[in-house]
């Protein structure tokens, strides 16, 4: 599995950094809430094992469906990397908060944890190709973060956004990224709502 992930990361890095022509954007309307829930399901076993409490907050949305229009796959790829890192470096019974803010033509996602935090001397390495965090005094698996953050940075930049973090050692870390979003017309919104309604389980009426 490690080899598979490593090869995938190398290929992704090559496309993002070297082969501009092969990078395409599949912009479509989707629910940010549902997209985040899918990532939460992927990491559910790990969060349950460490008894981490996770909550999600939405700010600035005009609709209760939390709709955005951008590349869902790339959006979730960046989120998965930040979210999984937060789980990795958060202590048992810790807390993770995901904050989604709509800011004009961008959406900002912040992943806040109360975990290990990053030492000042390690902070400059976060977006380098093989940046690592080492802390032998903590009972946390702190193996290298690999290409994940670098690839996330390249993806975010393709969507005219930025990715950064603030951290205090032994207090926790907040990683955040901005993603460019497009305007949603009424027809696209209606189509998505119809699709969502069709996925709901049908009620059986007893006569």
């Amino acid at each position: 599995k490690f080899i598979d992930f490593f090869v995938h990361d190398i290929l992704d890095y090559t496309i993002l950094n070297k082969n501009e022509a092969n990078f395409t954007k599949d912009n479509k309307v989707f629910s940010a809430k549902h997209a985040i829930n899918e990532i939460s399901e992927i990491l559910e076993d790990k969060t349950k094992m460490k008894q981490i409490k996770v909550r999600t907050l939405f700010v600035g949305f005009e609709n209760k469906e939390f709709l955005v229009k951008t590349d869902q796959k790339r959006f979730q790829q960046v989120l998965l990397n930040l979210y999984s890192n937060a789980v990795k470096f958060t202590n048992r019974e810790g807390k993770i908060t995901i904050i989604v803010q709509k800011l004009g033509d961008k959406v900002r996602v912040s992943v806040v944890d109360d975990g290990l935090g990053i030492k000042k001397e390690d902070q400059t390495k976060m977006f380098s190709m093989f940046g690592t965090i080492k802390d032998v005094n903590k009972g946390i698996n702190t193996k290298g973060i690999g290409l994940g953050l670098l690839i996330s940075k390249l993806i975010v930049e393709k969507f005219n956004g930025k990715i950064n973090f603030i951290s205090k050692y032994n207090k926790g870390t907040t990683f955040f990224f901005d993603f460019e979003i497009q305007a949603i017309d009424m027809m696209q919104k209606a189509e998505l709502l119809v699709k969502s309604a069709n996925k709901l389980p049908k009620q059986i009426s007893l006569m």
Side-chain angles (χ1 to χ4, degrees):
K1 281 190 175 182
F2 173 79
I3 296 297
D4 289 342
F5 282 126
F6 182 76
V7 171
H8 179 272
D9 281 352
I10 290 292
L11 291 173
D12 224 5
Y13 174 77
T14 302
I15 292 172
L16 288 162
N17 197 46
K18 302 292 184 182
N19 200 339
E20 186 85 19
N22 285 344
F23 181 83
T24 58
K25 296 179 181 179
D26 182 19
N27 293 331
K28 61 183 179 181
V29 181
F30 63 92
S31 166
K33 182 177 181 179
H34 292 164
I36 291 170
N37 286 344
E38 287 179 355
I39 300 302
S40 294
E41 289 175 4
I42 292 172
L43 298 173
E44 186 175 14
D45 288 343
K46 293 182 179 179
T47 55
K48 281 187 175 180
M49 184 173 63
K50 296 180 72 173
Q51 297 181 357
I52 296 173
K53 294 181 180 179
V54 181
R55 64 171 181 163
T56 305
L57 303 176
F58 292 87
V59 180
F61 282 82
E62 299 171 356
N63 57 76
K64 294 181 180 179
E65 296 83 20
F66 310 113
L67 301 180
V68 294
K69 184 179 181 181
T70 189
D71 189 316
Q72 181 175 350
K73 177 183 175 182
R74 293 299 188 178
F75 176 87
Q76 288 182 302
Q77 184 178 355
V78 177
L79 176 61
L80 177 59
N81 182 261
L82 301 189
Y83 195 164
S84 60
N85 281 344
V87 173
K88 185 175 185 179
F89 295 109
T90 295
N91 296 307
R92 186 176 179 84
E93 298 183 351
K95 296 178 182 178
I96 295 175
T97 303
I98 299 171
I99 305 171
V100 187
Q101 298 172 275
K102 190 175 181 185
L103 304 170
D105 63 348
K106 288 189 171 61
V107 60
R108 171 171 289 185
V109 180
S110 303
V111 180
V112 185
D113 69 62
D114 62 356
L116 176 62
I118 305 167
K119 293 179 179 179
K120 286 186 178 181
E121 58 265 34
D122 288 327
Q123 293 186 9
T124 57
K125 299 186 281 186
M126 287 300 95
F127 296 104
S128 60
M129 184 173 289
F130 296 107
T132 59
I133 299 175
K134 295 181 180 179
D135 195 323
V136 297
N137 297 319
K138 297 290 181 180
I140 301 174
N141 179 6
T142 58
K143 281 189 176 181
I145 56 177
L147 290 171
L149 284 175
L150 177 57
I151 290 173
S152 294
K153 182 175 184 289
L154 293 172
I155 292 172
V156 168
E157 289 173 349
K158 296 289 186 185
F159 288 86
N160 299 318
K162 64 179 181 179
I163 182 170
N164 212 333
F165 68 93
I166 55 176
S167 184
K168 189 171 182 180
Y169 186 61
N170 279 333
K171 295 293 183 181
T173 302
T174 297
F175 269 92
F176 61 90
F177 68 93
D178 297 338
F179 234 60
E180 186 177 56
I181 55 176
Q182 298 178 348
I184 303 173
D185 61 43
M186 294 301 293
M187 184 64 71
Q188 291 173 322
K189 181 177 179 180
E191 289 176 356
L192 184 66
L193 292 176
V194 169
K195 288 180 181 179
S196 298
N198 289 337
K199 290 180 180 179
L200 293 174
K202 296 181 180 179
Q203 293 184 347
I204 301 175
S205 57
L206 301 176
M207 301 298 289

